[in-house]
Amino acid sequence: MEIPIHFPTLPLPSGQNIPILGLGMSHHGGYSHNAVLYALKSCGIRHIDTAKRYGNEELVGKAICESGVKREDLWITTKLWPGDYGYENATQACLDSCKRLGVQYLDLYLMHWPDAHLPGKSSREARAETWKALEDLYYRGICRSIGVSNFLTHHLEQLKEDCDVVPHLNQVEYHPFQRPQELVDYCKRNNIVFGGYCPLAKGQALTHPVVLRLAKQYGKTPAQICIRWSIQNGIVTIPKSTKESRIQENCQVLGFTLADEDVLALNSLHDGRHVSWDPTNVL
């Protein structure tokens, strides 16, 4: 496969440009050293998305080092686990993540989950205190951009009221069965870029008749149809895979465009199901 592919980027309010397609890690066997190296060296992937929770930051750091890709050409996202919420803890956790990844700064640092427990504080107060730490890390240049993950409209509204910096990005589950359009619209109105994980619905979308029909129509794989649909909806899309062949397949989504009526057909599959965490009941 010829490289590098230059993936389109989206501008963040921080002034940074985030590649619209990335490679995601996970914590259930979600790391393959060879796969990360392959993505970086053979597929032109420059956007790596991990988290402290996944337990593989050090391994990702080694792969980045071995890849030979310059740091300034990479986009590295990692996430702050709720066990590290609170001002001091969050600050230290970020520095620890940088050390494990072998980097001086993060391109994007996300609060991983809206539920927050700090002694004597409500979830809202705990989120605000934690976000203040991220703001200061942003002002110091340790985090070039800051955001949240799995936050719903009311969580974002509270942060807006309580803090100075509106999150630059909100990363949420996004696939044909879980297309939270009201949240997407809210983010758009408030200049928050929308990121989507689980674009294949953990494989559930790959066998749906509409997806299969479009795959046949376009001469593409079901995974490519789902990823292309997500990107065309303006979503920063983070598929996960530990298989080199799948990573190559997932990266080959720039050479075709879904017709408007086919995007609408996929949009219509939304049924509200979650295949990952559901933050609906988090106050």
Side-chain angles (χ1 to χ4, degrees), residues 18 39-40 50 143 154 160 184 223 228 255 261:
I18 184 169
L40 290 168
T50 188
C143 303
H154 67 280
K160 262 178 64 188
V184 172
R228 180 69 214 179
E261 62 266 26

Side-chain angles (χ1 to χ4, degrees), residues 173-213:
E173 183 179 336
Y174 189 92
H175 48 76
F177 310 127
Q178 177 55 236
R179 187 178 65 89
Q181 194 56 41
E182 286 183 14
L183 181 59
V184 172
D185 292 341
Y186 171 87
C187 288
K188 195 171 283 187
R189 285 195 307 273
N190 289 277
N191 203 22
I192 301 168
V193 171
F194 200 96
Y197 66 84
C198 290
L200 312 180
K202 294 192 174 172
Q204 291 180 28
L206 302 182
T207 54
H208 192 280
V210 171
V211 176
L212 291 171
R213 173 176 65 78

Side-chain angles (χ1 to χ4, degrees), residues 8-59:
T9 60
L10 287 177
L12 292 174
S14 59
Q16 306 297 311
N17 293 300
I18 184 169
I20 200 163
L21 185 71
L23 174 64
M25 309 290 125
S26 66
H27 54 282
H28 294 303
Y31 183 81
S32 160
H33 200 67
N34 288 341
V36 177
L37 279 174
Y38 178 78
L40 290 168
K41 293 173 76 172
S42 300
C43 296
I45 282 285
R46 293 295 176 261
H47 177 176
I48 302 290
D49 181 287
T50 188
K52 179 185 176 177
R53 163 78 168 150
Y54 306 158
N56 53 35
E57 287 175 322
E58 207 166 309
L59 295 168

Side-chain angles (χ1 to χ4, degrees), residues 52 85 93 100 103 116 118-119 132 158 180 214 239 253 272:
K52 179 185 176 177
Y85 285 2
R100 285 190 292 271
V103 298
L118 292 178
K132 178 68 178 137
Q158 289 170 0
L214 292 175
V253 293

